[in-house]
Amino acid sequence: MNTLIDRQQRQVAELLQRQQHGEEVSLALSEAQKRVDELNERLARRRKELAQERQLAVADITRIGSALVLPYPQEEAFRELVPEAEVERIAMQVAMRYEQPRGWLPEDVSQENRGFDILSRHPESGQVRVIEVKGRAASGPIVLTPNEYKTAGRLRKDYWLYVIFDCATRPRLLPLQDPARLEWKPVMKIDCFQISPQEIEREGTI
């Protein structure tokens, strides 16, 4: 602020000199002086705010909400993180259809908040796998909730992540066993965990 004020004051001084030499700069001089006054007022307000901040005390923190702010045009990428009912429906349908022809008996448990969406059993071998289903309209980062991430870490090879890309066009299923082994990156510390679509493409097998 002091730098801005100093620069503006020099401009006022230059205009005063030009006025003394007979130039008509009254309007520009008036605006420049007005700008100096505004900057001084802003500086005074800021000093007052800083003085008040010294009196702040840390008390209990109440979380009101969270926001992820991305620069343009990356807000398009954020839309991929927003659950869409139709995309989720297609993804679940693809995952269930993938299990059945292979002799597994999938059960939709997505409404039970168990850390996964499908409980699949193989009647002959007696094997059980739990499956978390993530769908994207096209492609994009995959996120796990804390509950999903902890469940994956606890069940390891019994936990499968079925990622379905291109749900809006031609769905592609990429199954990953033991997704906890991958390098998930925390988003907003504890809200969710993210992995890139490139990692899914590299690790996913059919």
Side-chain angles (χ1 to χ4, degrees):
M1 289 298 297
N2 286 326
T3 301
L4 291 174
I5 292 171
D6 182 64
R7 184 185 305 164
Q8 196 65 32
Q9 286 176 335
R10 288 201 302 270
Q11 184 179 355
V12 170
E14 290 173 2
L15 289 170
L16 285 171
Q17 287 182 346
R18 290 167 59 184
Q19 189 180 57
Q20 291 173 357
H21 286 82
E23 291 187 45
E24 179 52 49
V25 293
S26 56
L27 181 58
L29 180 59
S30 176
E31 290 297 322
Q33 289 174 330
K34 181 179 179 181
R35 177 64 174 161
V36 171
D37 293 340
E38 290 174 352
L39 290 171
N40 280 315
E41 289 177 4
R42 286 176 56 188
L43 179 60
R45 286 198 304 270
R46 185 57 184 147
R47 283 174 173 167
K48 183 178 179 181
E49 291 170 357
L50 289 172
Q52 291 175 336
E53 288 177 3
R54 296 191 184 98
Q55 307 303 318
L56 293 177
V58 178
D60 292 339
I61 298 175
T62 301
R63 179 174 176 177
I64 299 175
S66 301
L68 177 61
V69 181
L70 298 174
Y72 180 86
Q74 291 182 359
E75 69 270 14
E76 294 295 330
F78 178 67
R79 293 176 186 173
E80 289 290 326
L81 302 179
V82 180
E84 298 179 10
E86 182 62 13
V87 171
E88 291 179 353
R89 185 191 67 79
I90 293 171
M92 284 292 293
Q93 186 179 66
V94 170
M96 297 285 278
R97 287 179 178 174
Y98 176 77
E99 288 294 281
Q100 292 164 349
R102 298 166 53 250
W104 292 76
L105 301 177
E107 178 187 356
D108 184 348
V109 295
S110 58
Q111 302 303 313
E112 299 179 15
N113 194 31
R114 298 170 67 172
F116 52 89
D117 295 316
I118 296 174
L119 180 62
S120 192
R121 298 180 175 89
H122 198 286
E124 295 180 3
S125 66
Q127 288 182 294
V128 177
R129 64 169 54 174
V130 300
I131 303 166
E132 174 60 29
V133 179
K134 296 294 182 181
R136 288 290 176 266
S139 180
I142 298 300
V143 298
L144 295 179
T145 66
N147 187 30
E148 294 163 356
Y149 185 76
K150 291 175 183 177
T151 304
R154 186 175 71 254
L155 299 180
R156 301 307 304 241
K157 290 187 177 181
D158 291 328
Y159 194 101
W160 287 74
L161 175 63
Y162 283 11
V163 178
I164 296 89
F165 287 144
D166 302 320
C167 287
T169 52
R170 300 180 62 181
R172 296 184 297 121
L173 187 150
L174 298 169
L176 293 90
Q177 186 180 22
D178 188 13
R181 62 187 168 84
L182 304 179
E183 295 182 3
W184 295 87
K185 297 178 177 60
V187 178
M188 293 185 287
K189 294 186 179 179
I190 61 171
D191 286 353
C192 55
F193 293 82
Q194 175 175 297
I195 194 168
S196 70
Q198 291 80 14
E199 185 76 6
I200 296 295
E201 296 280 2
R202 182 168 62 253
E203 296 290 338
T205 57
I206 296 178

